Amino acid sequence: MSGILVFVEHAAGEADRLSREALVLAGSLAAAAGAEVEAVLFGADAAGVGAGLGEQGVRTAHVVEDPRLGAYAPAAWAVAIVELIVARGPVAVIAGGSERGNEVLAHVAARTGRPMAANVVDVTVAATQGDPWHLTRQRWAGSLLEDAELRADVQLLTVAPHVITVDESGGAPGGAPAASVVRFEPSVDDRDLVGRVTGHEAPKGGAISLADAKVVVSGGRGVGSAEGFGILEELAGLLGGAVGGSRVVTSNGWRPHSDQVGQTGLRIAPDLYVACGISGAIQHIVGCKAAKRILAINTDPDSPIMGVADYAVIGDLHQIVPAISAEIRRRSAPD
Ligand code: FAD
């Protein structure tokens, strides 16, 4: 093959955003290396999603059909990818910068004794086969960029989240041929299945997920209490968005950890991020800096969040947030 193999995560019949970012990087590397892009997918809908990846430049989608591997099982999924490496001989395996992407590729690296680079933002493919690839990757939550060389026969990379732009229009005009779907049954041992997901808890009331929301209204210490989030919930509801928070609010138990934005929470890329009573520590900013626009609502005009905000309202969020909601309601009321 000498192609580039991408581990594609998917949900609800679509490739995940971070996997699509990995596919964009794979496409540019494949063009430079004169290679083709192939994908590997697990779980329900894998064949349908895989076929649709033709629009993202994928020629062949390897679909793992073993029912034992339908649910996430990092070591076992890695075994399948290692078998594909042996069978297909890719020059690189790339995954999105998700928890799963990093975990599965770390298992692949450990099993094969190859080096792996995480959080990659740029890659130069070696002109001569066998020479190292030069790459740039993020360190320290994105506050440092590091140049590195990766010397391996198969390069293992994950892509830093929300650094690579994805074409949301869905691909080339006129459509692209579907990827050919190849069913694949790896020889996984039951011992590889000791760590696996056995169930999911859906978000309450069909709420919009924080990871996918186009608008996120996020609160920090300035919100003051769990009850204080009522006005943020209201604004998020009016904007069709989701509520997030800083680590202070999850540490205080005002919100669940699943709502945390930042280095040790989610990294998101909404169209609008409304930061209410959040100071803008680097560990928080790394989670929201990919937003298209940031609106800060803060009593302190010198707080660090002002350095990254596109718009700011200086004042008490307990007055400003309800005033924004009231104005939205007024403007959307029938005449
Ligand atoms: P503060 O820094 O206390 O800021 C509160 C802000 O609210 C201030 O700017 C204040 O002016 C404003 N304010 C107060 N009252 C009002 C009001 N009535 N109206 C408007 N504004 C008001 N943090 C994260 O968020 N996410 C992470 O994933 C994360 N990971 C971390 C990982 C590590 C290893 C470490 C060391 C730290 C991490 N942190 C993380 C913590 C981070 O360093 C900050 O401590 C945290 O983000 C601060 O939260 P905050 O902005 O809510 O609180």
Side-chain angles (χ1 to χ4, degrees):
M1 170 203 187
S2 284
I4 308 233
L5 180 67
V6 181
F7 164 49
V8 173
E9 298 173 63
H10 58 98
E14 275 188 19
D16 286 1
R17 160 90 193 202
L18 299 186
S19 292
R20 285 186 282 133
E21 294 176 4
L23 286 167
V24 172
L25 179 67
S28 63
L29 298 184
E36 287 185 358
V37 179
E38 301 197 356
V40 55
L41 300 92
F42 298 80
D45 294 342
V49 176
L53 293 177
E55 291 192 352
Q56 268 94 50
V58 173
R59 300 291 290 271
T60 308
H62 302 276
V63 170
V64 178
E65 295 223 304
D66 185 334
R68 296 175 304 159
L69 304 191
Y72 181 54
W77 286 19
V79 167
I81 291 174
V82 171
E83 285 191 20
L84 268 181
I85 291 173
V86 173
R88 304 293 298 154
V91 290
V93 182
I94 303 183
S98 64
E99 286 174 6
R100 289 184 176 192
N102 283 312
E103 187 175 27
V104 169
L105 276 211
H107 274 281
V108 172
R111 279 185 180 264
T112 62
R114 293 186 172 98
M116 167 197 159
N119 276 326
V120 171
V121 297
D122 194 23
V123 181
T124 307
V125 173
T128 312
Q129 203 176 2
D131 282 356
W133 286 19
H134 293 270
L135 50 94
T136 306
R137 64 176 183 159
Q138 290 184 345
R139 298 287 307 276
W140 295 343
S143 54
L144 177 76
L145 289 177
E146 176 180 82
D147 289 331
E149 278 183 6
L150 201 57
R151 287 177 185 273
D153 58 335
V154 182
Q155 315 282 349
L156 303 177
L157 314 171
T158 64
V159 182
H162 306 308
V163 172
I164 288 176
T165 307
V166 169
D167 176 7
E168 299 288 358
S169 70
S180 13
V181 172
V182 177
R183 287 173 166 81
F184 166 62
E185 213 169 303
S187 43
V188 169
D189 196 288
D190 280 349
R191 281 172 303 181
D192 299 319
L193 288 160
V194 285
R196 66 196 165 92
V197 170
T198 55
H200 291 277
E201 196 174 320
K204 286 182 274 171
I208 295 167
S209 100
L210 182 56
D212 301 326
K214 296 278 182 217
V215 177
V216 172
V217 182
S218 202
R221 193 194 302 275
V223 175
S225 64
E227 296 69 40
F229 272 85
I231 54 174
L232 276 66
E233 295 271 10
E234 183 190 21
L235 179 58
L238 287 166
L239 295 171
V243 170
S246 71
R247 188 160 94 169
V248 166
V249 312
T250 58
S251 301
N252 284 347
W254 301 345
R255 304 292 298 184
H257 182 262
S258 54
D259 283 359
Q260 185 175 314
V261 173
Q263 182 182 337
T264 43
L266 279 177
R267 297 180 190 204
I268 55 176
D271 290 344
L272 175 65
Y273 187 75
V274 187
C276 309
I278 293 175
S279 61
I282 180 66
Q283 296 88 356
H284 184 83
I285 297 303
V286 71
C288 64
K289 68 180 179 186
K292 286 195 186 135
R293 294 277 182 274
I294 297 178
L295 162 63
I297 302 173
N298 202 300
T299 44
D300 178 4
D302 297 321
S303 64
I305 191 83
M306 300 303 166
V308 292
D310 300 281
Y311 312 99
V313 182
I314 308 301
D316 184 347
L317 70 93
H318 299 100
Q319 293 167 3
I320 291 157
V321 173
I324 298 172
S325 296
E327 183 62 16
I328 293 171
R329 258 193 249 93
R330 189 184 69 74
R331 291 192 189 197
S332 44
D335 291 333

